[in-house]
Amino acid sequence: MFTDSLEYRYESDLQSALVEALDRANSPTWKCVSVLDEFNYVRGKTDVVALNMDGHVLAFEAKLSRWKIALHQAYRNTCFAHYSFVVVPKGVAKRIFDYQHYFAMHSVGLCYINSRNELECLIEATYGVPIQPRLTQKVVSLLLEETIGNGSTT
């Protein structure tokens, strides 16, 4: 399951790979109408947000190693996102998989980018109703503006 590993020099490299994987995704889980690199709001900055075909907001925190910080940030993102994930390199995912109960406690998923540059989910995020619907709507508006600005018809 964890035989090959992609190395990233910077978190921005992992973040870029994540955006590319989401842009190309065809699976029902990851097929997104729009993807936005970085979303700033009062409580912080989310690395990547996306709107899937079901109209749900997905939030992603990408970290090279500091998974506990990423988990805290991903949990914070559930205030506006229907699903929230931590994305780490594959080797890190292997090491922290044993701590899946922390992810489950916070309803946060765990993912990595595989050797085919596809997003793989090791721990599924739990659907949640965001407690800040106005912030959710702001994210959706930004994502839809991004879609229109890029001339996308999906």
Side-chain angles (χ1 to χ4, degrees):
M1 183 156 109
F2 299 101
T3 56
D4 52 349
S5 177
L6 296 176
E7 293 300 320
Y8 302 95
R9 188 172 181 142
Y10 303 106
E11 280 182 11
S12 59
D13 297 334
L14 176 58
Q15 193 171 327
S16 294
L18 171 61
V19 169
E20 288 177 27
L22 288 169
D23 279 341
R24 289 190 332 269
N26 287 320
S27 74
T29 305
W30 304 118
K31 189 161 178 73
C32 295
V33 173
S34 183
V35 178
L36 185 62
D37 198 12
E38 296 188 353
F39 169 66
N40 294 304
Y41 65 108
V42 174
R43 289 190 182 96
K45 178 181 75 168
T46 306
D47 291 330
V48 175
V49 291
L51 184 65
N52 73 8
M53 299 293 284
D54 295 329
H56 296 138
V57 173
L58 313 175
F60 299 89
E61 290 296 337
K63 289 281 187 261
L64 294 181
S65 60
R66 300 171 310 171
W67 68 270
K68 289 179 183 176
I69 292 170
L71 179 60
H72 174 74
Q73 292 170 324
Y75 177 64
R76 186 179 60 213
N77 293 339
T78 62
C79 74
F80 69 84
H82 298 99
Y83 296 96
S84 190
F85 300 89
V86 169
V87 180
V88 293
K90 192 174 188 178
V92 176
K94 177 183 178 182
R95 287 193 304 276
I96 65 177
F97 186 72
D98 290 339
Y99 299 97
Q100 59 187 297
H101 59 281
Y102 290 119
F103 289 83
M105 279 178 13
H106 293 91
S107 302
V108 170
L110 174 63
C111 302
Y112 67 91
I113 308 294
N114 68 22
S115 61
R116 296 178 309 280
N117 295 319
E118 299 167 334
L119 191 61
E120 292 279 338
C121 191
L122 291 177
I123 301 170
E124 294 291 335
T126 305
Y127 173 84
V129 176
I131 61 170
Q132 293 188 298
R134 288 184 190 207
L135 190 54
T136 304
Q137 190 52 50
K138 180 179 178 182
V139 174
V140 169
S141 295
L142 286 171
L143 286 162
L144 292 176
E145 284 175 22
E146 181 74 13
T147 302
I148 293 167
N150 287 334
S152 176
T153 57
T154 40

